[in-house]
Amino acid sequence: MLDLTTLSGHKLSSTSKGVPDSLDGVTIEDAPKHSLNLLKHPFPAPVAVLRQSAIRANIELMRQYTRSAGVELAPHGKTTMAPQLFDMQLEAGAWGITCATAAHLRLYRQFGVSRIIVANQLLDADSVQFVARQLTEDPGFEFYGIVDSVAGVRQYFDVLSKLPRTRPINLLLEVGAVGGRTGVRTIEDALLIAKETTAMSASGSLRLAGIEAFEGIFAGRRRRSLRQILVSRRAQMRTPGHS
């Protein structure tokens, strides 16, 4: 699904983690011809090894899970930054690929990822302009950015208002928690941002596409273990007057 042809000519460098001197300057396409064995040849540690059968089994398991749960998945590509793995995930039905930075975004587009979520806010004009150009040049490209303030909405709008009109940039309103890193803290703030984005959408440059949240910042109810429950009940039974 992705255009991986340019990867075959990419030259390996011994300055990269896990690449031995014998592969310095060798292209990815020619590397297998050297018939190196991880257990017999000197690879600088640490070395990450991926077993293709395990990767495909994991992807298939996740595909079955998301289908049974009725959800769509956009894997976070920053974990691997490997277009080959992106391609396998998309081929298995991934909805899109998530990225963390503008540099990741550019790399994804270089290999033709057609639906991207940026899990952080784009704060510089150059990156917003890049997205606008991509939307103009590729009708099949879908982009989703994040916003958590009125100032952020206006920053997007200020950049886009100086450019030729293109398809609107989709924005997700980020919901946060008190003491968290980002995201709105109150319903009132969320409504202000939603109204501002909706007002700007009249220009055709922005579109409020939904909400977003990082579940890791929300504290859940701590569940007691079976042992804790039993200890508590025994303590109650020893209490004088307990029936």
Side-chain angles (χ1 to χ4, degrees):
M1 299 177 68
L2 301 185
D3 183 6
L4 304 177
T5 54
T6 56
L7 277 179
S8 61
H10 177 74
K11 291 185 178 181
L12 299 172
S13 171
S14 57
T15 61
S16 298
K17 184 183 295 184
V19 178
D21 287 337
S22 59
L23 292 182
D24 188 62
V26 177
T27 64
I28 290 179
E29 182 179 30
D30 291 335
K33 299 176 183 177
H34 288 246
S35 302
L36 296 184
N37 186 304
L38 184 65
L39 302 179
K40 297 180 180 179
H41 296 88
F43 281 81
V47 180
V49 180
L50 304 180
R51 188 183 295 275
Q52 188 178 64
S53 59
I55 292 174
R56 291 194 178 279
N58 289 344
I59 291 176
E60 175 60 21
L61 182 64
M62 184 59 71
R63 185 190 69 80
Q64 293 178 10
Y65 170 74
T66 53
R67 175 175 292 183
S68 65
V71 299
E72 300 283 357
L73 181 67
H76 213 323
K78 75 170 184 178
T79 306
T80 64
M81 289 304 291
Q84 300 96 322
L85 294 182
F86 300 168
D87 193 54
M88 294 170 67
Q89 292 170 316
L90 291 169
E91 187 177 1
W95 181 83
I97 304 290
T98 301
C99 69
T101 69
H104 294 167
L105 170 65
R106 285 173 165 80
L107 184 139
Y108 290 12
R109 288 301 296 157
Q110 180 180 340
F111 291 97
V113 178
S114 60
R115 185 182 284 131
I116 299 173
I117 298 176
V118 179
N120 288 305
Q121 299 184 67
L122 294 180
L123 300 177
D124 62 285
D126 188 57
S127 297
V128 177
Q129 292 168 0
F130 173 78
V131 172
R133 289 196 302 271
Q134 292 294 303
L135 289 170
T136 299
E137 297 168 3
D138 184 358
F141 174 46
E142 287 185 50
F143 171 84
Y144 293 82
I146 289 176
V147 68
D148 70 353
S149 67
V150 170
V153 176
R154 291 174 179 172
Q155 182 169 326
Y156 267 104
F157 179 77
D158 289 343
V159 175
L160 295 172
S161 64
K162 299 179 177 64
L163 302 176
R165 184 163 180 169
T166 182
R167 288 185 292 133
I169 286 182
N170 293 313
L171 293 181
L172 301 174
L173 174 60
E174 184 168 40
V175 177
V178 176
R181 184 179 62 182
T182 58
V184 294
R185 306 297 199 262
T186 67
I187 294 177
E188 291 74 16
D189 286 342
L191 290 174
L192 285 175
I193 297 167
K195 290 178 181 179
E196 186 73 15
T197 307
T198 303
M200 298 295 184
S201 66
S203 67
S205 59
L206 297 174
R207 172 177 172 265
L208 183 60
I211 61 174
E212 180 270 353
F214 171 53
E215 72 281 3
I217 65 174
F218 293 97
R221 178 179 296 177
R222 187 174 182 179
R223 295 185 178 181
R224 296 191 299 170
S225 67
L226 178 59
R227 180 177 180 276
Q228 290 172 322
I229 294 174
L230 292 175
V231 170
S232 176
R233 288 181 177 176
R234 287 171 184 168
Q236 291 176 358
M237 292 175 67
R238 297 192 192 102
T239 302
H242 180 75
S243 58

